[in-house]
Amino acid sequence: MESSYKYDNNNGSRFRIREKEILKRYKVLLRSVQGRTNLEDRKIIRKAFDLAVESHKDMRRKSGEPYIYHPIAVAQICADEIGLGATAIVCALLHDVVEDTEITIEDIKRQFGEKPAMIIDGLTKISGVFDQRSSQQAENFRKMLLTLSDDVRVILIKLADRLHNMRTLDSMARDKQLKIASETLYMYAPLAHRLGLYAIKTELEDLGLKYTEPDTYQEIVDKLKNTEDVRKRFINRFTMPIKKALAENGLDFEVKGRPKSVFSIWNKVTKKGVPFEEIYDIFAIRIIVESKPENEKADCWKVYSMVTDFYKPSPERLRDWISTPRANGYESLHTTVMSPTGKWVEVQIRTRRMDDIAEKGYAAHWLYKEGSKNSSESNIDSWLKRIREMIENSDGNALEFIDEFKLNLFSEEIFIFTPKGELKTLPANSTALDFAYEVHSQIGNSCIGAKVNNKLVPLSYPLKSGDQIEIITSSKQRPKEDWLGYVVTAKAKGRIKSALKEEKRAMAEEGRAMLERKLNHLKLKPDGELLNRLAKNYKVHSVLDLFHDIAIGQIDLKTLPDYLEEKKKHRPTVF
Ligand code: MN
């Protein structure tokens, strides 16, 4: 194909136009990371760009566009919408090179170093479409999460890749669209949510819905459009007095009135059966204040106080995620107030920094890390730690692991206090026993009960946010089979399972000794054949079970001589 340019003038000029367009897109990308990169970084980015252009030069996307547009776009998303730096840009530019061209991971390592090679290797391993029924794909997804412990950028670039593929899904065949869109809704949108990438999560959900439920999607889009004018007028009238008061108090701010995403409206309509016209929180008002790090909290409450001077708040709907940020790093103050027209309106109050973190998530968080000390950094860390534990504890059953992971993705978290007032985050529905395992596996294994807010409660007691809990232990306690039904966290489940296994093994050892003594006494050798015959006779699954049941008295060794006598009698005489 490429060689024909030499002979065909028309094609030749088209080729130059294409080159120009590629360079233009590259320059836009460079401008986006200007402030975050030095000369050295920009050299490496250029090198990655050149290699990507060269390797993909004969390839086209389904839409007919040059393939290189895709890696550039993915890098652009990493830069603008996630706020990542040079290393991630390099990896994004090269993310499809190893999979689709002759270039190897070794080549990348030689030219760009260890880190980019490792990230691109992770990205290459998790390519392909994840099918909800296929355990191979579930296993791939598990691998992808395993790389979290190495470098979270693998996941972030993967999300950017997916976002661009969703934005350009139109040119795919219908069955492919459906597959990719369902996978996005099932796995990637929740993942973006959990990483605190709110803007990306919302867009993935909306695009997912657009391709899985095209008619419903269009219906909601139309309705939103038809009601736009009325909504704008309402928002203007509602925010006018607030804006005035904020300005008079010398605050620098921005007020946004944005409708809910199509996906979340669809969710309300279908899952809760609320008709579109009756969704009261179809939009939320967001007030973003420019604030110095030391004034953030005070400024937000100042705004809150001004808002509620004009409109009466609903006390049950106050959410303070500033004092206690959510585990994905989200900080904001939410209140729902009554408007003069009798409509409830949600108002979200936050600072510019909080807004950036809410929109761009984890990476934006890195950018702010140096400037101010804040507690949500440790929240992200503890979340990543929990993901790692979940992966480690999921003894190889990938599908079960995905379900558990999803469960943990969607569940909201609760905040629990230790007796010393230390705060711990757990998934909702966690019990006293979950908490015990959260503290330490030994505490969990020896837990006999707990005191919640100074009242004695059983192990299975479900915890609520704000509970203060003290675990009561006994050295005589052992984990029981039914404990598995008392816990929701993967960590606790894993620890109980391995303790039970350990327990069983120890018991079996005792049983083996008892049986051997008995057989010795009867002048019999405890060889494999005899043991298997005994297991069969006592109707247990394995020799290990035989030992175990002997140890716990389930099998009475007194019945053994009778059984052996019986056997002898019936044994045919062989000469
Ligand atoms: Mn790609």
mmCIF file of all heavy atoms in Angstrom, residues 67 70 74 95-96 161 165, ligand 1:
data_model
loop_
_atom_site.group_PDB
_atom_site.id
_atom_site.type_symbol
_atom_site.label_atom_id
_atom_site.label_comp_id
_atom_site.label_asym_id
_atom_site.label_seq_id
_atom_site.Cartn_x
_atom_site.Cartn_y
_atom_site.Cartn_z
ATOM 1 N N TYR A 67 -4.125 4.423 12.313
ATOM 2 C CA TYR A 67 -4.193 3.824 13.648
ATOM 3 C C TYR A 67 -3.585 4.722 14.725
ATOM 4 O O TYR A 67 -4.061 4.775 15.859
ATOM 5 C CB TYR A 67 -3.492 2.456 13.661
ATOM 6 C CG TYR A 67 -3.849 1.681 14.901
ATOM 7 C CD1 TYR A 67 -4.976 0.876 14.926
ATOM 8 C CD2 TYR A 67 -3.084 1.801 16.062
ATOM 9 C CE1 TYR A 67 -5.330 0.207 16.074
ATOM 10 C CE2 TYR A 67 -3.433 1.131 17.216
ATOM 11 C CZ TYR A 67 -4.560 0.338 17.215
ATOM 12 O OH TYR A 67 -4.919 -0.312 18.362
ATOM 13 N N HIS A 70 -5.306 6.717 17.502
ATOM 14 C CA HIS A 70 -5.790 6.086 18.741
ATOM 15 C C HIS A 70 -4.793 6.240 19.901
ATOM 16 O O HIS A 70 -5.156 6.796 20.937
ATOM 17 C CB HIS A 70 -6.161 4.627 18.475
ATOM 18 C CG HIS A 70 -6.397 3.812 19.703
ATOM 19 N ND1 HIS A 70 -7.422 4.081 20.590
ATOM 20 C CD2 HIS A 70 -5.721 2.752 20.213
ATOM 21 C CE1 HIS A 70 -7.360 3.210 21.585
ATOM 22 N NE2 HIS A 70 -6.340 2.396 21.392
ATOM 23 N N VAL A 74 -5.378 8.329 23.369
ATOM 24 C CA VAL A 74 -5.299 7.718 24.702
ATOM 25 C C VAL A 74 -4.322 8.508 25.580
ATOM 26 O O VAL A 74 -4.597 8.802 26.746
ATOM 27 C CB VAL A 74 -4.875 6.232 24.601
ATOM 28 C CG1 VAL A 74 -4.626 5.642 25.978
ATOM 29 C CG2 VAL A 74 -5.941 5.430 23.869
ATOM 30 N N HIS A 95 1.087 1.834 23.853
ATOM 31 C CA HIS A 95 0.342 0.759 24.525
ATOM 32 C C HIS A 95 -0.076 -0.389 23.606
ATOM 33 O O HIS A 95 -0.261 -1.508 24.070
ATOM 34 C CB HIS A 95 -0.860 1.308 25.309
ATOM 35 C CG HIS A 95 -2.069 1.582 24.465
ATOM 36 N ND1 HIS A 95 -2.286 2.777 23.844
ATOM 37 C CD2 HIS A 95 -3.123 0.802 24.151
ATOM 38 C CE1 HIS A 95 -3.418 2.727 23.183
ATOM 39 N NE2 HIS A 95 -3.959 1.536 23.348
ATOM 40 N N ASP A 96 -0.245 -0.124 22.304
ATOM 41 C CA ASP A 96 -0.655 -1.210 21.400
ATOM 42 C C ASP A 96 0.489 -1.746 20.551
ATOM 43 O O ASP A 96 0.294 -2.623 19.722
ATOM 44 C CB ASP A 96 -1.781 -0.721 20.476
ATOM 45 C CG ASP A 96 -3.128 -0.756 21.183
ATOM 46 O OD1 ASP A 96 -3.297 -1.589 22.098
ATOM 47 O OD2 ASP A 96 -4.010 0.050 20.834
ATOM 48 N N ASP A 161 -7.680 3.955 27.471
ATOM 49 C CA ASP A 161 -7.791 3.165 26.240
ATOM 50 C C ASP A 161 -9.254 2.787 26.001
ATOM 51 O O ASP A 161 -9.813 2.978 24.924
ATOM 52 C CB ASP A 161 -6.917 1.907 26.415
ATOM 53 C CG ASP A 161 -6.910 1.012 25.198
ATOM 54 O OD1 ASP A 161 -7.051 1.529 24.077
ATOM 55 O OD2 ASP A 161 -6.744 -0.213 25.376
ATOM 56 N N ASN A 165 -11.903 3.887 23.023
ATOM 57 C CA ASN A 165 -12.593 2.871 22.223
ATOM 58 C C ASN A 165 -14.111 3.047 22.300
ATOM 59 O O ASN A 165 -14.816 2.861 21.314
ATOM 60 C CB ASN A 165 -12.205 1.466 22.678
ATOM 61 C CG ASN A 165 -10.803 1.102 22.228
ATOM 62 O OD1 ASN A 165 -10.306 1.654 21.247
ATOM 63 N ND2 ASN A 165 -10.152 0.200 22.949
HETATM 64 MN MN MN B 1 -5.673 0.513 22.458
#
